[in-house]
Amino acid sequence: MSTDLFHALTFEYSSPYPFLICAGPCSAETEEQTYETARQLRARGIRLFRASLWKPRTRPGSFEGVGAEGLSWLRRIEQELGMQAMTEVASAAHVEACLRAGIRTLWVGARTTASPFAVSELAEALRGEEVTLLVKNPLNPDLELWEGALLRFHAVGIERLGAVHRGFSTYGKGPYRNAPLWQIPIELRRRHPELTILGDPSHIAGCRELVPLVCQAALEMNLSGLMIETHPTPEVAWSDAAQQLTPEALITLLDSLLIHPTRSTADSTELSQLRRGIDHIDRQLLHLLSERMKLARSIGEIKAKDHLPIVQPERYRTLLEERLRLGSELALEEGFLHELFSCIHEASVHVQHIPLSTDQ
Ligand code: PEP
Ligand code: MN
């Protein structure tokens, strides 16, 4: 029996794919557009529907959602099409309006997860309610905030909790609208092995062309499923027009994905052998790192005796250049080596700085 606080989300209907799939427009714009999207998705077996009614927009003057008026559109989709419809809530008033309308599948957006005040307000409004709640990661790459929000919701009695990885805001232009920083959802999964984590390739990619690549990556990272923005005429969508897919394009994409995260992985002998090799190398790495730290400490003692600064920029520069050169001959990636050696160097500086009496 798992001792984790969180349990995998289950639904009474099965997904047509070997992973969870949630789809629907970024925003509910009109009743027709919302219903038509849902109808096309349902015809292809998709039962979990998304559409935002309240839209957090970066700048004033853009479409801010249809608000509570759309709640009856979502209810109609649930009742007539047998789907489960979810929307974003960002305040106690949103939660109350949803519960009154009978909408009990909700998500918390990235901007809200970033604010513990807002999360607490939502948690109070949801105390003891039977809802399914997905928590998107905060805009900033802070796993503690993301996990903290999940814990706050768990503490008010919400059992049906899941997470959504929608990437992280960074300054400057990368290939993606939001950097995936996969190590963060991977660490969340390590801490909570049972937690359902959906990938949100639409908000990571920011453009249609990159959505398939990010879907494949999300499944390779063993996320539990995907939330993908879908619109009957994406080019004229009122929000996130560049990243939405038609229902037809979505199905072509889902059919092409090759990873099956829910399939049990009875490890092959070959896989176990290779993993034993990795374990052995990691142990050697640890012994080598420990030897390296001992040398760094001895160097620290000499520097202290001679009143020399611990950080010697010229030495660090030539060391890094030499390691990168050798690494490139060994076909190791430069960005990775750069990060690795700056970590190692930082740790070396740290052990030299600690007062020697606390050293062993
Ligand atoms: C959305 O899902 O449309 C949305 C606003 O997402 P996020 O909170 O991830 O920006
Ligand atoms: Mn969106």
Side-chain angles (χ1 to χ4, degrees):
M1 248 241 350
S2 152
T3 53
D4 194 7
L5 282 181
F6 303 119
H7 311 293
L9 280 178
T10 53
F11 297 89
E12 65 242 32
Y13 42 84
S14 54
S15 167
Y17 294 93
F19 44 84
L20 286 174
I21 173 78
C22 163
C26 176
S27 306
E29 299 163 5
T30 64
E31 182 163 11
E32 293 63 40
Q33 163 260 0
T34 311
Y35 193 86
E36 182 52 22
T37 314
R39 195 192 59 72
Q40 291 188 32
L41 293 169
R42 180 69 183 86
R44 281 132 166 148
I46 294 172
R47 307 275 291 259
L48 194 52
F49 181 72
R50 62 149 283 152
S52 298
L53 303 180
W54 295 280
K55 292 301 305 170
R57 302 311 297 271
T58 303
R59 299 175 71 85
S62 8
F63 172 59
E64 295 197 325
V66 295
E69 185 192 345
L71 285 165
S72 62
W73 310 348
L74 298 186
R75 259 322 266 160
R76 179 175 164 223
I77 285 165
E78 292 197 321
Q79 288 167 332
E80 291 183 14
L81 299 175
M83 296 176 87
Q84 190 170 338
M86 69 164 119
T87 198
E88 173 171 348
V89 286
S91 68
H94 295 163
V95 169
E96 283 149 19
C98 287
L99 296 178
R100 262 198 312 276
I103 295 297
R104 292 192 163 265
T105 314
L106 309 168
W107 84 81
V108 177
R111 289 152 194 81
T112 311
T113 308
S115 160
F117 284 140
V119 169
S120 295
E121 178 190 319
L122 288 178
E124 272 320 307
L126 286 164
R127 184 178 285 278
E129 295 289 344
E130 288 275 319
V131 292
T132 302
L133 185 70
L134 299 181
V135 181
K136 288 198 167 198
N137 65 257
L139 292 177
N140 51 327
D142 184 341
L143 174 59
E144 305 309 318
L145 267 180
W146 194 7
E147 190 187 26
L150 287 158
L151 293 171
R152 278 181 214 267
F153 290 118
H154 187 269
V156 294
I158 301 174
E159 291 282 333
R160 291 185 53 78
L161 273 174
V164 181
H165 167 240
R166 51 82 76 205
F168 301 88
S169 215
T170 48
Y171 185 69
K173 283 248 159 292
Y176 300 115
R177 179 180 177 196
N178 289 291
L181 307 182
W182 296 107
Q183 68 275 26
I184 295 181
I186 289 171
E187 172 61 15
L188 182 63
R189 168 54 61 67
R190 189 193 65 78
R191 294 186 192 180
H192 302 290
E194 297 287 313
L195 180 68
T196 294
I197 308 178
L198 297 185
D200 174 351
S202 309
H203 288 91
I204 291 175
C207 66
R208 273 182 275 296
E209 295 69 29
L210 285 178
V211 169
L213 201 70
V214 182
C215 285
Q216 180 71 20
L219 296 180
E220 282 169 1
M221 302 301 143
N222 216 321
L223 299 196
S224 328
L226 302 167
M227 175 193 267
I228 304 182
E229 288 189 335
T230 315
H231 193 287
T233 47
E235 326 69 56
V236 295
W238 298 0
S239 59
D240 288 348
Q243 71 194 30
Q244 305 205 55
L245 304 179
T246 60
E248 200 183 346
L250 173 73
I251 299 304
T252 308
L253 163 58
L254 293 175
D255 288 345
S256 75
L257 294 172
L258 296 173
I259 306 273
H260 293 201
T262 53
R263 189 177 284 172
S264 80
T265 51
D267 289 354
S268 65
T269 325
E270 196 188 355
L271 199 57
S272 319
Q273 254 167 17
L274 293 170
R275 282 183 173 151
R276 273 200 295 280
I278 292 272
D279 292 345
H280 179 65
I281 289 177
D282 282 355
R283 280 183 214 113
Q284 286 180 320
L285 281 174
L286 288 171
H287 282 293
L288 287 172
L289 281 172
S290 159
E291 289 305 311
R292 196 186 191 286
M293 285 304 168
K294 281 183 203 147
L295 293 177
R297 278 196 188 94
S298 305
I299 289 174
E301 284 170 28
I302 294 170
K303 285 179 187 162
K305 193 156 55 64
D306 296 346
H307 304 288
L308 293 170
I310 295 172
V311 175
Q312 305 269 334
E314 185 53 26
R315 159 71 183 156
Y316 180 47
R317 202 178 57 76
T318 50
L319 175 155
L320 192 60
E321 267 173 20
E322 196 274 338
R323 307 302 188 261
L324 292 181
R325 203 169 33 247
L326 176 58
S328 122
E329 284 168 27
L330 295 169
L332 292 166
E333 208 226 320
E334 182 174 332
F336 160 65
L337 286 182
H338 208 288
E339 216 168 296
L340 178 67
F341 276 98
S342 71
C343 259
I344 291 178
H345 182 253
E346 191 187 323
S348 268
V349 169
H350 186 73
V351 293
Q352 295 180 39
H353 180 66
I354 292 173
L356 294 177
S357 57
T358 66
D359 265 3
Q360 23 215 335

